Amino acid sequence: MSKPFSADSLQHGNRKQKLLWKDLNEHSILNKLVDYNPFLAGTIPLDIDHGKSDVDILCEYSERKEFVSSLESSFDNLEGFEIIERYFQELPSILCRFKTEKFEYEIFAQTLPVSQQMGYVHFTIEGKILSIAGSEFKERIQTLKRDGWKTEEAFCKLLGVREDPYEFLFGLNFFPPENLIKFVLKSEFFLKKDK
């Protein structure tokens, strides 16, 4: 994942990714969020999702009231619509959930630019790790996900990381590319394979 991910690439992806691209367009979901710099993250674009995976969209906002009003006018006609406000990373955060006929969506927004949000950094790092580690690693992640593991926890389990998985993966963002490659290829996953 050397270049930033684009939702348009879904139309050339696997069956579920193509279905998601169609659903996003049918409901104009990203278009309705365009003022809030929407970014499609999560497991479906990374192709490590399972049957119960939802669709994650990250946004940024400056005016809380305006953003909430926009969410309501855009999505409150959809099943399961709800807005939850809470603190995450010590910042006020807005979570919006709803369902279409085919997918469950979760919009996560902060005043922090999307590129600095934990979800964006995790998505980017996970994409890089998958491209370095290869198909067997990806299959093991998918198995762990089906068994109920959270994405970040599954990555750290395979890599042999015992620290907080969310903080650790966030920290990998600061690794130079060559150091990240060395770290992944010398991780517990590959050491066990060599035995």
Side-chain angles (χ1 to χ4, degrees):
M1 290 186 75
S2 52
K3 59 181 182 179
F5 170 78
S6 164
D8 287 338
S9 66
L10 294 173
Q11 64 186 306
H12 308 294
N14 63 33
R15 190 189 65 79
K16 191 167 186 179
Q17 290 169 340
K18 288 175 182 173
L19 195 63
L20 174 55
W21 184 75
K22 188 177 177 188
D23 201 57
L24 286 165
N25 284 293
E26 276 180 14
H27 295 278
S28 299
I29 291 172
L30 296 178
N31 285 342
K32 290 173 180 174
L33 295 167
V34 73
D35 291 339
Y36 306 101
N37 196 21
F39 182 83
L40 188 67
T43 58
I44 297 174
L46 291 173
D47 190 23
I48 53 170
D49 56 290
H50 56 84
K52 295 182 180 176
S53 295
D54 60 11
V55 180
D56 296 314
I57 301 173
L58 306 175
C59 290
E60 60 190 70
Y61 67 93
S62 53
E63 295 294 328
R64 175 205 156 274
K65 196 171 180 181
E66 175 200 296
F67 181 61
V68 168
S69 176
S70 177
L71 291 173
E72 288 170 344
S73 62
S74 298
F75 307 115
D76 72 353
N77 61 320
L78 294 169
E79 184 188 345
F81 175 82
E82 66 174 342
I83 292 177
I84 300 164
E85 297 189 53
R86 63 180 187 204
Y87 274 77
F88 183 77
Q89 293 174 275
E90 300 178 9
L91 287 171
S93 306
I94 295 172
L95 193 65
C96 176
R97 294 187 181 118
F98 56 85
K99 300 174 187 177
T100 63
E101 302 79 20
K102 297 186 175 69
F103 290 95
E104 293 186 17
Y105 288 84
E106 186 171 283
I107 296 167
F108 178 85
Q110 294 179 313
T111 54
L112 199 63
V114 166
S115 62
Q116 294 173 29
Q117 292 179 24
M118 191 172 270
Y120 178 91
V121 173
H122 285 173
F123 177 85
T124 305
I125 285 296
E126 288 158 7
K128 289 176 182 176
I129 292 170
L130 289 168
S131 68
I132 295 164
S135 59
E136 192 177 330
F137 183 93
K138 179 179 170 181
E139 287 165 15
R140 289 284 308 281
I141 291 287
Q142 289 170 313
T143 300
L144 289 172
K145 295 281 295 165
R146 281 193 296 272
D147 290 344
W149 285 71
K150 298 283 189 189
T151 306
E152 290 80 5
E153 294 167 359
F155 271 81
C156 285
K157 176 178 173 57
L158 293 189
L159 294 170
V161 173
R162 310 287 186 266
E163 300 166 41
D164 178 290
Y166 300 91
E167 293 297 333
F168 186 85
L169 286 180
F170 190 84
L172 289 181
N173 188 45
F174 303 102
F175 275 41
E178 62 276 9
N179 290 16
L180 182 64
I181 292 168
K182 282 180 192 170
F183 167 74
V184 172
L185 297 180
K186 291 184 175 182
S187 70
E188 198 170 282
F189 179 79
F190 287 97
L191 291 176
K192 283 183 175 178
K193 277 179 69 175
D194 292 340
K195 290 182 180 177

Short mmCIF file of all heavy atoms in Angstrom, two decimals, residues 42-43 56 86 88-89 106 108 116-126 129 145 148-157 159 161-175:
data_model
loop_
_atom_site.label_atom_id
_atom_site.label_comp_id
_atom_site.label_asym_id
_atom_site.label_seq_id
_atom_site.Cartn_x
_atom_site.Cartn_y
_atom_site.Cartn_z
N GLY A 42 -11.03 0.01 7.81
CA GLY A 42 -11.56 -1.26 8.28
C GLY A 42 -11.09 -2.47 7.49
O GLY A 42 -10.18 -2.40 6.65
N THR A 43 -11.76 -3.59 7.74
CA THR A 43 -11.27 -4.87 7.24
C THR A 43 -11.70 -5.22 5.82
O THR A 43 -11.01 -5.98 5.15
CB THR A 43 -11.72 -6.01 8.18
OG1 THR A 43 -13.16 -5.98 8.27
CG2 THR A 43 -11.12 -5.85 9.57
N ASP A 56 -16.31 0.63 8.01
CA ASP A 56 -15.80 1.75 8.81
C ASP A 56 -15.47 2.93 7.93
O ASP A 56 -14.72 2.80 6.96
CB ASP A 56 -14.53 1.32 9.57
CG ASP A 56 -14.82 0.22 10.58
OD1 ASP A 56 -15.80 0.34 11.32
OD2 ASP A 56 -14.05 -0.76 10.61
N ARG A 86 -18.77 10.29 22.59
CA ARG A 86 -17.91 9.86 23.70
C ARG A 86 -16.50 10.40 23.48
O ARG A 86 -16.22 11.00 22.44
CB ARG A 86 -17.89 8.33 23.80
CG ARG A 86 -17.29 7.66 22.57
CD ARG A 86 -17.29 6.17 22.72
NE ARG A 86 -16.55 5.57 21.61
CZ ARG A 86 -16.71 4.35 21.17
NH1 ARG A 86 -17.60 3.57 21.74
NH2 ARG A 86 -16.00 3.88 20.18
N PHE A 88 -12.50 9.60 22.90
CA PHE A 88 -11.58 8.57 22.43
C PHE A 88 -10.26 9.27 22.15
O PHE A 88 -10.24 10.32 21.51
CB PHE A 88 -12.13 7.92 21.15
CG PHE A 88 -11.28 6.80 20.64
CD1 PHE A 88 -11.31 5.55 21.25
CD2 PHE A 88 -10.44 6.98 19.56
CE1 PHE A 88 -10.52 4.51 20.80
CE2 PHE A 88 -9.64 5.94 19.09
CZ PHE A 88 -9.69 4.71 19.71
N GLN A 89 -9.16 8.70 22.62
CA GLN A 89 -7.85 9.36 22.55
C GLN A 89 -7.93 10.76 23.19
O GLN A 89 -7.32 11.71 22.72
CB GLN A 89 -7.37 9.51 21.10
CG GLN A 89 -7.04 8.22 20.38
CD GLN A 89 -6.72 8.48 18.92
OE1 GLN A 89 -7.62 8.56 18.08
NE2 GLN A 89 -5.46 8.63 18.61
N GLU A 106 -20.41 2.11 10.17
CA GLU A 106 -20.03 2.84 11.38
C GLU A 106 -19.15 4.02 10.96
O GLU A 106 -18.08 3.83 10.38
CB GLU A 106 -19.28 1.92 12.34
CG GLU A 106 -18.98 2.57 13.67
CD GLU A 106 -18.43 1.58 14.68
OE1 GLU A 106 -19.24 0.79 15.24
OE2 GLU A 106 -17.21 1.59 14.91
N PHE A 108 -16.98 7.12 12.19
CA PHE A 108 -16.26 7.60 13.38
C PHE A 108 -15.65 8.95 13.03
O PHE A 108 -14.94 9.06 12.02
CB PHE A 108 -15.17 6.61 13.77
CG PHE A 108 -14.36 7.06 14.96
CD1 PHE A 108 -14.80 6.81 16.25
CD2 PHE A 108 -13.17 7.75 14.78
CE1 PHE A 108 -14.07 7.23 17.35
CE2 PHE A 108 -12.43 8.18 15.87
CZ PHE A 108 -12.87 7.91 17.15
N GLN A 116 -4.48 11.68 11.06
CA GLN A 116 -3.85 11.56 12.38
C GLN A 116 -4.67 10.66 13.33
O GLN A 116 -4.24 10.39 14.44
CB GLN A 116 -3.68 12.94 13.01
CG GLN A 116 -2.70 13.82 12.26
CD GLN A 116 -2.68 15.23 12.82
OE1 GLN A 116 -2.93 15.46 14.00
NE2 GLN A 116 -2.38 16.19 11.97
N GLN A 117 -5.83 10.23 12.88
CA GLN A 117 -6.67 9.40 13.73
C GLN A 117 -6.12 7.98 13.82
O GLN A 117 -5.55 7.46 12.87
CB GLN A 117 -8.11 9.38 13.21
CG GLN A 117 -8.81 10.72 13.34
CD GLN A 117 -10.22 10.69 12.78
OE1 GLN A 117 -10.85 9.64 12.69
NE2 GLN A 117 -10.73 11.85 12.41
N MET A 118 -6.33 7.36 14.97
CA MET A 118 -5.80 6.03 15.21
C MET A 118 -6.30 5.02 14.16
O MET A 118 -5.54 4.18 13.69
CB MET A 118 -6.16 5.56 16.62
CG MET A 118 -5.44 4.31 17.04
SD MET A 118 -5.68 3.89 18.78
CE MET A 118 -4.32 4.78 19.53
N GLY A 119 -7.58 5.10 13.79
CA GLY A 119 -8.13 4.16 12.82
C GLY A 119 -7.44 4.25 11.46
O GLY A 119 -7.21 3.23 10.80
N TYR A 120 -7.10 5.46 11.05
CA TYR A 120 -6.40 5.66 9.77
C TYR A 120 -4.99 5.08 9.84
O TYR A 120 -4.55 4.37 8.93
CB TYR A 120 -6.34 7.15 9.44
CG TYR A 120 -5.60 7.47 8.15
CD1 TYR A 120 -6.28 7.55 6.94
CD2 TYR A 120 -4.22 7.67 8.15
CE1 TYR A 120 -5.61 7.83 5.76
CE2 TYR A 120 -3.53 7.94 6.97
CZ TYR A 120 -4.23 8.03 5.78
OH TYR A 120 -3.57 8.30 4.61
N VAL A 121 -4.30 5.38 10.92
CA VAL A 121 -2.92 4.89 11.08
C VAL A 121 -2.92 3.36 11.14
O VAL A 121 -2.11 2.70 10.48
CB VAL A 121 -2.26 5.50 12.33
CG1 VAL A 121 -0.89 4.87 12.60
CG2 VAL A 121 -2.12 7.02 12.17
N HIS A 122 -3.84 2.78 11.90
CA HIS A 122 -3.93 1.31 11.98
C HIS A 122 -4.19 0.71 10.59
O HIS A 122 -3.54 -0.26 10.21
CB HIS A 122 -5.04 0.88 12.94
CG HIS A 122 -4.68 1.06 14.37
ND1 HIS A 122 -5.59 0.88 15.39
CD2 HIS A 122 -3.53 1.43 14.98
CE1 HIS A 122 -5.00 1.10 16.55
NE2 HIS A 122 -3.75 1.45 16.33
N PHE A 123 -5.13 1.28 9.87
CA PHE A 123 -5.48 0.78 8.54
C PHE A 123 -4.25 0.80 7.63
O PHE A 123 -3.95 -0.17 6.93
CB PHE A 123 -6.60 1.64 7.94
CG PHE A 123 -6.98 1.26 6.54
CD1 PHE A 123 -7.89 0.25 6.30
CD2 PHE A 123 -6.42 1.92 5.44
CE1 PHE A 123 -8.25 -0.11 5.00
CE2 PHE A 123 -6.78 1.59 4.15
CZ PHE A 123 -7.69 0.56 3.92
N THR A 124 -3.53 1.90 7.63
CA THR A 124 -2.35 2.07 6.78
C THR A 124 -1.26 1.07 7.14
O THR A 124 -0.69 0.40 6.27
CB THR A 124 -1.82 3.51 6.88
OG1 THR A 124 -2.88 4.42 6.56
CG2 THR A 124 -0.67 3.75 5.92
N ILE A 125 -0.99 0.95 8.44
CA ILE A 125 0.05 0.03 8.91
C ILE A 125 -0.33 -1.42 8.63
O ILE A 125 0.49 -2.23 8.19
CB ILE A 125 0.33 0.25 10.42
CG1 ILE A 125 1.14 1.53 10.61
CG2 ILE A 125 1.05 -0.94 11.05
CD1 ILE A 125 2.53 1.52 10.00
N GLU A 126 -1.60 -1.76 8.88
CA GLU A 126 -2.05 -3.13 8.62
C GLU A 126 -1.91 -3.49 7.15
O GLU A 126 -1.50 -4.60 6.80
CB GLU A 126 -3.49 -3.30 9.10
CG GLU A 126 -3.60 -3.33 10.62
CD GLU A 126 -4.98 -2.97 11.15
OE1 GLU A 126 -5.92 -2.81 10.36
OE2 GLU A 126 -5.10 -2.83 12.39
N ILE A 129 1.78 -4.16 6.54
CA ILE A 129 2.19 -5.45 7.11
C ILE A 129 1.69 -6.59 6.22
O ILE A 129 2.43 -7.54 5.95
CB ILE A 129 1.67 -5.60 8.55
CG1 ILE A 129 2.39 -4.61 9.48
CG2 ILE A 129 1.85 -7.04 9.06
CD1 ILE A 129 1.80 -4.50 10.88
N LYS A 145 -9.82 -13.56 13.02
CA LYS A 145 -10.99 -12.67 12.97
C LYS A 145 -12.29 -13.48 13.05
O LYS A 145 -13.21 -13.12 13.78
CB LYS A 145 -10.99 -11.85 11.67
CG LYS A 145 -9.85 -10.86 11.54
CD LYS A 145 -10.09 -9.59 12.34
CE LYS A 145 -11.27 -8.82 11.82
NZ LYS A 145 -11.71 -7.81 12.79
N GLY A 148 -13.22 -14.43 16.44
CA GLY A 148 -13.65 -13.37 17.34
C GLY A 148 -12.59 -12.38 17.78
O GLY A 148 -12.86 -11.50 18.60
N TRP A 149 -11.37 -12.50 17.26
CA TRP A 149 -10.31 -11.57 17.64
C TRP A 149 -10.54 -10.21 16.99
O TRP A 149 -10.99 -10.11 15.85
CB TRP A 149 -8.95 -12.10 17.17
CG TRP A 149 -8.44 -13.24 17.99
CD1 TRP A 149 -8.94 -14.51 18.02
CD2 TRP A 149 -7.34 -13.21 18.88
NE1 TRP A 149 -8.21 -15.27 18.89
CE2 TRP A 149 -7.21 -14.51 19.44
CE3 TRP A 149 -6.44 -12.23 19.28
CZ2 TRP A 149 -6.22 -14.84 20.35
CZ3 TRP A 149 -5.45 -12.56 20.19
CH2 TRP A 149 -5.35 -13.84 20.73
N LYS A 150 -10.22 -9.15 17.72
CA LYS A 150 -10.19 -7.80 17.14
C LYS A 150 -9.00 -7.72 16.19
O LYS A 150 -7.98 -8.40 16.38
CB LYS A 150 -10.04 -6.74 18.24
CG LYS A 150 -11.19 -6.71 19.24
CD LYS A 150 -12.38 -6.03 18.64
CE LYS A 150 -13.46 -5.78 19.68
NZ LYS A 150 -14.70 -5.31 19.08
N THR A 151 -9.11 -6.87 15.18
CA THR A 151 -8.09 -6.81 14.14
C THR A 151 -6.69 -6.52 14.70
O THR A 151 -5.73 -7.24 14.41
CB THR A 151 -8.45 -5.72 13.09
OG1 THR A 151 -9.77 -5.99 12.61
CG2 THR A 151 -7.47 -5.73 11.93
N GLU A 152 -6.58 -5.47 15.51
CA GLU A 152 -5.26 -5.08 16.04
C GLU A 152 -4.68 -6.19 16.91
O GLU A 152 -3.47 -6.46 16.87
CB GLU A 152 -5.38 -3.77 16.84
CG GLU A 152 -5.66 -2.55 15.99
CD GLU A 152 -7.13 -2.40 15.58
OE1 GLU A 152 -7.97 -3.21 16.04
OE2 GLU A 152 -7.44 -1.49 14.81
N GLU A 153 -5.54 -6.84 17.69
CA GLU A 153 -5.08 -7.93 18.56
C GLU A 153 -4.60 -9.11 17.74
O GLU A 153 -3.60 -9.76 18.08
CB GLU A 153 -6.21 -8.34 19.51
CG GLU A 153 -6.57 -7.25 20.50
CD GLU A 153 -7.88 -7.52 21.23
OE1 GLU A 153 -8.54 -8.55 20.97
OE2 GLU A 153 -8.24 -6.68 22.08
N ALA A 154 -5.29 -9.41 16.64
CA ALA A 154 -4.88 -10.52 15.77
C ALA A 154 -3.50 -10.25 15.15
O ALA A 154 -2.64 -11.15 15.11
CB ALA A 154 -5.93 -10.72 14.67
N PHE A 155 -3.28 -9.03 14.66
CA PHE A 155 -1.98 -8.69 14.09
C PHE A 155 -0.87 -8.87 15.13
O PHE A 155 0.16 -9.48 14.84
CB PHE A 155 -1.98 -7.25 13.57
CG PHE A 155 -2.43 -7.12 12.15
CD1 PHE A 155 -3.78 -7.11 11.82
CD2 PHE A 155 -1.51 -7.01 11.11
CE1 PHE A 155 -4.21 -7.00 10.51
CE2 PHE A 155 -1.92 -6.88 9.79
CZ PHE A 155 -3.28 -6.89 9.48
N CYS A 156 -1.09 -8.34 16.32
CA CYS A 156 -0.05 -8.41 17.35
C CYS A 156 0.19 -9.83 17.84
O CYS A 156 1.32 -10.21 18.14
CB CYS A 156 -0.38 -7.46 18.50
SG CYS A 156 -0.09 -5.73 18.03
N LYS A 157 -0.86 -10.63 17.89
CA LYS A 157 -0.69 -12.04 18.28
C LYS A 157 0.25 -12.74 17.30
O LYS A 157 1.20 -13.41 17.71
CB LYS A 157 -2.04 -12.76 18.32
CG LYS A 157 -1.90 -14.27 18.63
CD LYS A 157 -3.23 -14.95 18.72
CE LYS A 157 -3.09 -16.47 18.84
NZ LYS A 157 -2.28 -16.91 19.98
N LEU A 159 2.40 -11.41 15.26
CA LEU A 159 3.74 -10.79 15.25
C LEU A 159 4.50 -11.06 16.56
O LEU A 159 5.68 -10.74 16.66
CB LEU A 159 3.61 -9.28 15.03
CG LEU A 159 3.08 -8.85 13.65
CD1 LEU A 159 2.76 -7.37 13.64
CD2 LEU A 159 4.07 -9.20 12.55
N VAL A 161 3.75 -9.72 19.54
CA VAL A 161 3.80 -8.49 20.34
C VAL A 161 2.97 -8.68 21.61
O VAL A 161 1.81 -9.08 21.53
CB VAL A 161 3.25 -7.28 19.52
CG1 VAL A 161 3.14 -6.05 20.39
CG2 VAL A 161 4.13 -7.03 18.31
N ARG A 162 3.56 -8.40 22.76
CA ARG A 162 2.87 -8.57 24.04
C ARG A 162 2.36 -7.25 24.61
O ARG A 162 1.70 -7.22 25.63
CB ARG A 162 3.80 -9.23 25.07
CG ARG A 162 4.49 -10.49 24.59
CD ARG A 162 3.55 -11.69 24.50
NE ARG A 162 4.26 -12.92 24.17
CZ ARG A 162 4.42 -13.40 22.94
NH1 ARG A 162 3.94 -12.73 21.91
NH2 ARG A 162 5.06 -14.53 22.72
N GLU A 163 2.69 -6.14 23.95
CA GLU A 163 2.28 -4.81 24.43
C GLU A 163 0.84 -4.50 24.01
O GLU A 163 0.23 -5.30 23.31
CB GLU A 163 3.23 -3.75 23.85
CG GLU A 163 4.69 -3.95 24.24
CD GLU A 163 5.62 -3.11 23.39
OE1 GLU A 163 5.29 -1.94 23.12
OE2 GLU A 163 6.67 -3.64 22.99
N ASP A 164 0.36 -3.32 24.42
CA ASP A 164 -0.98 -2.89 24.00
C ASP A 164 -1.02 -2.86 22.47
O ASP A 164 -0.27 -2.11 21.84
CB ASP A 164 -1.26 -1.50 24.57
CG ASP A 164 -2.62 -0.96 24.14
OD1 ASP A 164 -2.79 -0.65 22.94
OD2 ASP A 164 -3.51 -0.85 24.99
N PRO A 165 -1.89 -3.66 21.84
CA PRO A 165 -1.86 -3.76 20.37
C PRO A 165 -2.22 -2.46 19.67
O PRO A 165 -1.68 -2.16 18.60
CB PRO A 165 -2.90 -4.85 20.06
CG PRO A 165 -3.72 -5.00 21.28
CD PRO A 165 -2.88 -4.57 22.44
N TYR A 166 -3.09 -1.66 20.25
CA TYR A 166 -3.53 -0.42 19.61
C TYR A 166 -2.40 0.61 19.61
O TYR A 166 -2.12 1.25 18.59
CB TYR A 166 -4.78 0.12 20.31
CG TYR A 166 -5.92 -0.87 20.25
CD1 TYR A 166 -6.10 -1.81 21.27
CD2 TYR A 166 -6.78 -0.91 19.16
CE1 TYR A 166 -7.12 -2.75 21.20
CE2 TYR A 166 -7.81 -1.85 19.08
CZ TYR A 166 -7.96 -2.76 20.11
OH TYR A 166 -8.96 -3.70 20.03
N GLU A 167 -1.73 0.75 20.75
CA GLU A 167 -0.61 1.69 20.84
C GLU A 167 0.57 1.21 20.02
O GLU A 167 1.25 1.99 19.37
CB GLU A 167 -0.20 1.89 22.31
CG GLU A 167 -1.24 2.58 23.16
CD GLU A 167 -1.54 4.01 22.71
OE1 GLU A 167 -0.65 4.65 22.11
OE2 GLU A 167 -2.66 4.49 22.96
N PHE A 168 0.82 -0.11 20.05
CA PHE A 168 1.97 -0.65 19.34
C PHE A 168 1.85 -0.44 17.84
O PHE A 168 2.77 0.04 17.18
CB PHE A 168 2.16 -2.13 19.65
CG PHE A 168 3.43 -2.67 19.05
CD1 PHE A 168 4.63 -2.54 19.73
CD2 PHE A 168 3.44 -3.28 17.80
CE1 PHE A 168 5.82 -3.00 19.17
CE2 PHE A 168 4.61 -3.74 17.23
CZ PHE A 168 5.80 -3.61 17.92
N LEU A 169 0.68 -0.79 17.27
CA LEU A 169 0.50 -0.61 15.82
C LEU A 169 0.57 0.87 15.44
O LEU A 169 1.10 1.21 14.38
CB LEU A 169 -0.82 -1.22 15.37
CG LEU A 169 -0.87 -2.75 15.30
CD1 LEU A 169 -2.24 -3.21 14.83
CD2 LEU A 169 0.20 -3.32 14.40
N PHE A 170 0.03 1.73 16.30
CA PHE A 170 0.12 3.16 16.04
C PHE A 170 1.59 3.60 15.97
O PHE A 170 1.98 4.38 15.11
CB PHE A 170 -0.63 3.94 17.12
CG PHE A 170 -0.80 5.40 16.80
CD1 PHE A 170 -1.86 5.83 16.02
CD2 PHE A 170 0.09 6.35 17.28
CE1 PHE A 170 -2.03 7.17 15.71
CE2 PHE A 170 -0.06 7.70 16.98
CZ PHE A 170 -1.13 8.11 16.19
N GLY A 171 2.40 3.06 16.87
CA GLY A 171 3.82 3.40 16.91
C GLY A 171 4.59 2.94 15.68
O GLY A 171 5.59 3.56 15.29
N LEU A 172 4.13 1.86 15.05
CA LEU A 172 4.82 1.37 13.84
C LEU A 172 4.76 2.38 12.70
O LEU A 172 5.56 2.33 11.77
CB LEU A 172 4.20 0.05 13.37
CG LEU A 172 4.46 -1.19 14.22
CD1 LEU A 172 3.79 -2.41 13.60
CD2 LEU A 172 5.95 -1.45 14.40
N ASN A 173 3.83 3.32 12.81
CA ASN A 173 3.70 4.38 11.79
C ASN A 173 4.98 5.20 11.66
O ASN A 173 5.24 5.80 10.63
CB ASN A 173 2.53 5.28 12.17
CG ASN A 173 2.19 6.29 11.10
OD1 ASN A 173 2.12 5.96 9.92
ND2 ASN A 173 1.97 7.52 11.49
N PHE A 174 5.78 5.22 12.74
CA PHE A 174 6.99 6.05 12.75
C PHE A 174 8.22 5.25 12.32
O PHE A 174 9.32 5.79 12.29
CB PHE A 174 7.18 6.66 14.14
CG PHE A 174 5.99 7.46 14.58
CD1 PHE A 174 5.07 6.95 15.49
CD2 PHE A 174 5.74 8.72 14.04
CE1 PHE A 174 3.95 7.69 15.87
CE2 PHE A 174 4.62 9.46 14.41
CZ PHE A 174 3.72 8.94 15.32
N PHE A 175 8.05 3.97 11.99
CA PHE A 175 9.17 3.16 11.51
C PHE A 175 9.49 3.53 10.07
O PHE A 175 8.58 3.61 9.24
CB PHE A 175 8.80 1.66 11.52
CG PHE A 175 9.00 0.97 12.84
CD1 PHE A 175 8.66 1.57 14.03
CD2 PHE A 175 9.50 -0.32 12.88
CE1 PHE A 175 8.82 0.92 15.24
CE2 PHE A 175 9.67 -0.99 14.08
CZ PHE A 175 9.33 -0.37 15.26
#
